[in-house]
Amino acid sequence: MEMLTQFFTSQVMQESLAPAILISVVTASMSVMVLAHRLSFLTVGVSHASLAGLGLAVTLSLPLLPTATVTALLITLLLANIPKKQGITDDAGIGMLFAGSMALGVILISTASRYEVDLFGLLFGNILTISSGEMQWLSLVGALILGSMVMLARGWWSIAFDPTTAAASGLPVSTMRMVLYGVTGLTVIMCVKLAGIVLTTGLLVLPAACAWFWGRSLAGLWSLSVIFSLIGTLVGLVISYHKDWPSGATVVMALCCIFILSWGGAWLKQRVQKHKEQG
Amino acid sequence: MSSPSLQIADLSFGSEKSPILDQINLSLDAGHFMGIIGPNGAGKSTLLSAIAGLIQPSHGEVKLFGKQLNQFSRHKLLKQVGFLNQLHEHDPHLPLRVRDVVAMGSSDYAAPLWRRGNIRDAIMAALEQVEMANLAERDFRHLSGGQRQRVRLARALVRRPKLLLLDEPSAALDSKRQDKLYGLLRTLCSEQGMTIIMVEHDIAAITAYVDSVACLNRRIHHHAMQGEKIPDDIWHAMYGDHIHIVAHDAGCIGCAQPVEGEQ
């Protein structure tokens, strides 16, 4: 109890709570689509590739988040247009862009001498150092992502289930996929502030993975995913404050624990059901 | 007089040297039930894909309900078309209730979330038609292959389409279920005026239900109406000279009429 009181009265934590909750809700919403469309590796690729954007921002003294956002968007759109018919598959394309962009980012950051680079913050996230400008940017991008979900969630869901039938019912499947890739890229950038480049995939996969055991519809999965993500974020931040651990890593660790609990709970439920059926 | 449900004029698909579909011409009125038969690789599924707007023909045109199907009209026209593609062996990974799968077939399913209409009655009616209403709340992933196929059919029916395209709908169904399915499709044509095009391999199984059978192998070799005999040379042109034709049913489309006095 004392731990919670200290957490909520801390000035730094009070300031970081709103952006953390915003990131948590937005990424949990998109995580349903990431799992449904099997885009986990895409999020790994884009998050690492965003280092090129951060490198460019550092070298050219541009604002970090907007530059990273534009770079991530360009990278995801490039990935969406990979020449699959010539045999270059999604995972090969992501692998290439991942390595190439990361290499560019490392070179750019290593040559930036005029700028103080918080490399640890970039790699593993630091929600405690968010500026008001960054908060405005996150709110804008967050609203755009949630707006896209409200507009397109059911179409994306239907494409994930059966793309051929979705196309035959008149949906512009290729365009909608392209938009999904773009919005996923934007979401990755939102995560970078909280979890950093290395841990971003955790925020974009774990909430829906926890919900996958329990949800039986798009609405059910979406709400459960948001609930799990909020619990993981709050528990992670409280522990990180109390133990003085890195916030992003602690949030991802908390979500991992929730996943294991959720998995265990689902397994237990299945066993009880089987037992009842046999009895 | 209303336009035919489907008109296909001079449709070709694939390269000029070896087309997958070659100069297909077809016109079907409302309420017509047509079966398509042909060997593997004959272009049956490709023809359905062209009608469903999934592929762009290299030549010719498709008209649905009197209007040409193109990138500008496809969204509006395809709202009136139900489509059941070939069953592939895949493991559905989305956790969904049966009724949610059927809901995906409604014509405004992909609308923004705030424009959600009440389609529960339509969903249950479609599930009743395929005798799956009692499993509406079940997890789709836990159904058998045949049950999944019936749910997919309900998804195609929930929008009450004017034109229904079915690619081997009886796959994974036992013979009793197959008969029930064909009976349902016959009723939909006769009572609701739905036009149905169905790809099947077994002509004997569908012959009592359909109005006509198109023999397809890159081009339509013959379009036989109910009671009409398909000449032997058509069978040989489609399947090769090695096949042996055996007549076994007087009412069967394509079967030779039995000699008088011989039963």
Side-chain angles (χ1 to χ4, degrees):
Chain A
M1 199 61 213
E2 195 187 331
M3 192 165 84
L4 281 176
T5 320
Q6 279 177 358
F7 173 81
F8 285 110
T9 49
S10 151
Q11 179 73 23
V12 179
M13 280 300 163
Q14 275 177 4
E15 281 172 11
S16 65
L17 207 55
I21 287 174
L22 173 70
I23 292 170
S24 172
V25 170
V26 172
T27 55
S29 305
M30 275 310 288
S31 76
V32 176
M33 291 305 156
V34 167
L35 249 72
H37 286 262
R38 303 178 200 260
L39 298 178
S40 310
F41 189 46
L42 176 87
T43 65
V44 177
V46 175
S47 62
H48 285 72
S50 68
L51 196 68
L54 296 170
L56 273 175
V58 168
T59 310
L60 303 172
S61 300
L62 297 169
L64 280 181
L65 274 180
T67 313
T69 308
V70 173
T71 317
L73 207 57
L74 288 175
I75 289 165
T76 39
L77 292 179
L78 202 61
L79 284 170
N81 287 297
I82 279 174
K84 294 185 189 77
K85 280 183 184 162
Q86 274 93 46
I88 308 291
T89 54
D90 274 342
D91 64 330
I94 293 166
M96 286 187 287
L97 274 171
F98 172 177
S101 315
M102 189 103 187
L104 178 65
V106 169
I107 292 168
L108 287 174
I109 288 174
S110 68
T111 53
S113 54
R114 290 175 293 109
Y115 210 96
E116 186 71 27
V117 185
D118 175 17
L119 199 58
F120 195 80
L122 289 180
L123 291 177
F124 305 106
N126 192 355
I127 196 73
L128 308 179
T129 59
I130 194 159
S131 67
S132 61
E134 284 176 330
M135 182 60 199
Q136 278 173 4
W137 186 254
L138 285 183
S139 307
L140 184 74
V141 175
L144 197 66
I145 295 166
L146 285 179
S148 309
M149 274 293 281
V150 169
M151 291 286 289
L152 304 169
R154 283 207 303 244
W156 283 336
W157 191 242
S158 149
I159 292 169
F161 182 73
D162 182 349
T164 309
T165 308
S169 67
L171 278 184
V173 170
S174 308
T175 312
M176 287 186 73
R177 269 215 182 110
M178 188 99 84
V179 176
L180 174 66
Y181 274 50
V183 176
T184 308
L186 289 180
T187 320
V188 166
I189 295 306
M190 281 201 81
C191 291
V192 168
K193 193 64 208 169
L194 176 59
I197 287 166
V198 178
L199 298 170
T200 280
T201 304
L203 291 188
L204 269 166
V205 172
L206 283 163
C210 298
W212 225 249
F213 296 112
W214 308 99
R216 287 292 169 270
S217 64
L218 172 61
L221 282 165
W222 192 346
S223 9
L224 280 172
S225 182
V226 169
I227 291 168
F228 284 129
S229 181
L230 282 172
I231 295 172
T233 304
L234 289 174
V235 170
L237 284 181
V238 170
I239 296 173
S240 108
Y241 174 75
H242 186 68
K243 298 274 186 193
D244 201 19
W245 288 349
S247 54
T250 319
V251 167
V252 171
M253 208 58 236
L255 282 169
C256 283
C257 293
I258 294 174
F259 174 78
I260 292 166
L261 286 174
S262 187
W263 187 8
W267 177 80
L268 210 64
K269 188 185 161 202
Q270 221 171 16
R271 295 281 295 179
V272 171
Q273 264 175 353
K274 229 177 202 174
H275 193 70
K276 270 186 188 168
E277 279 166 18
Q278 283 168 353
Chain B
M1 192 179 156
S2 63
S3 310
S5 297
L6 170 71
Q7 287 166 289
I8 298 176
D10 211 14
L11 182 141
S12 298
F13 182 77
S15 66
E16 259 183 51
K17 274 188 176 177
S18 56
I20 298 166
L21 293 173
D22 190 15
Q23 294 187 316
I24 306 284
N25 289 287
L26 195 64
S27 178
L28 297 179
D29 288 326
H32 190 96
F33 187 3
M34 184 181 84
I36 299 179
I37 57 159
N40 291 335
K44 304 184 292 293
S45 300
T46 310
L47 178 58
L48 285 195
S49 296
I51 299 169
L54 294 173
I55 55 169
Q56 187 67 36
S58 28
H59 189 260
E61 64 170 21
V62 175
K63 275 187 179 177
L64 299 177
F65 323 110
K67 289 185 180 137
Q68 193 180 349
L69 182 67
N70 54 38
Q71 59 169 322
F72 303 107
S73 64
R74 71 186 295 274
H75 185 69
K76 198 175 170 190
L77 289 176
L78 292 177
K79 275 179 182 281
Q80 303 168 71
V81 178
F83 181 69
L84 178 69
N85 57 342
Q86 214 168 359
L87 181 69
H88 296 288
E89 279 308 315
H90 75 289
D91 202 16
H93 69 292
L94 300 188
L96 281 172
R97 289 169 301 208
V98 163
R99 67 180 169 89
D100 291 314
V101 173
V102 179
M104 285 181 184
S106 69
S107 51
D108 59 349
Y109 178 78
L113 292 181
W114 67 83
R115 273 179 46 202
R116 177 108 212 198
N118 186 9
I119 53 162
R120 197 181 161 84
D121 290 346
I123 292 169
M124 292 316 289
L127 282 169
E128 294 280 359
Q129 284 181 312
V130 296
E131 297 178 17
M132 288 291 288
N134 58 330
L135 299 179
E137 299 299 319
R138 282 276 289 275
D139 190 327
F140 181 73
R141 294 171 301 176
H142 299 158
L143 301 183
S144 70
Q147 287 173 327
R148 278 185 203 161
Q149 183 71 335
R150 281 151 64 198
V151 174
R152 292 168 80 237
L153 180 65
R155 184 184 51 169
L157 292 173
V158 73
R159 61 174 58 189
R160 297 195 177 96
K162 284 187 189 172
L163 173 65
L164 185 60
L165 307 171
L166 306 167
D167 198 349
E168 297 182 27
S170 67
L173 300 184
D174 58 42
S175 57
K176 187 181 151 195
R177 284 283 167 204
Q178 279 184 15
D179 281 342
K180 280 195 173 186
L181 165 71
Y182 299 143
L184 166 68
L185 298 175
R186 178 69 263 168
T187 309
L188 291 171
C189 290
S190 306
E191 293 179 7
Q192 295 180 21
M194 196 182 284
T195 308
I196 298 179
I197 302 176
M198 176 174 73
V199 168
E200 276 294 354
H201 280 290
D202 188 356
I203 188 171
I206 62 172
T207 194
Y209 303 96
V210 295
D211 295 310
S212 67
V213 169
C215 305
L216 182 81
N217 192 2
R218 286 194 300 156
R219 58 189 179 83
I220 294 180
H221 288 263
H222 195 78
H223 189 182
M225 294 298 153
Q226 182 67 261
E228 188 184 334
K229 181 182 184 291
I230 298 172
D232 287 359
D233 59 316
I234 298 292
W235 289 114
H236 290 300
M238 287 207 304
Y239 292 96
D241 288 330
H242 64 282
I243 64 155
H244 182 61
I245 300 157
V246 181
H248 58 91
D249 182 354
C252 163
I253 296 178
C255 298
Q257 295 293 320
V259 180
E260 213 169 305
E262 187 186 303
Q263 281 297 323

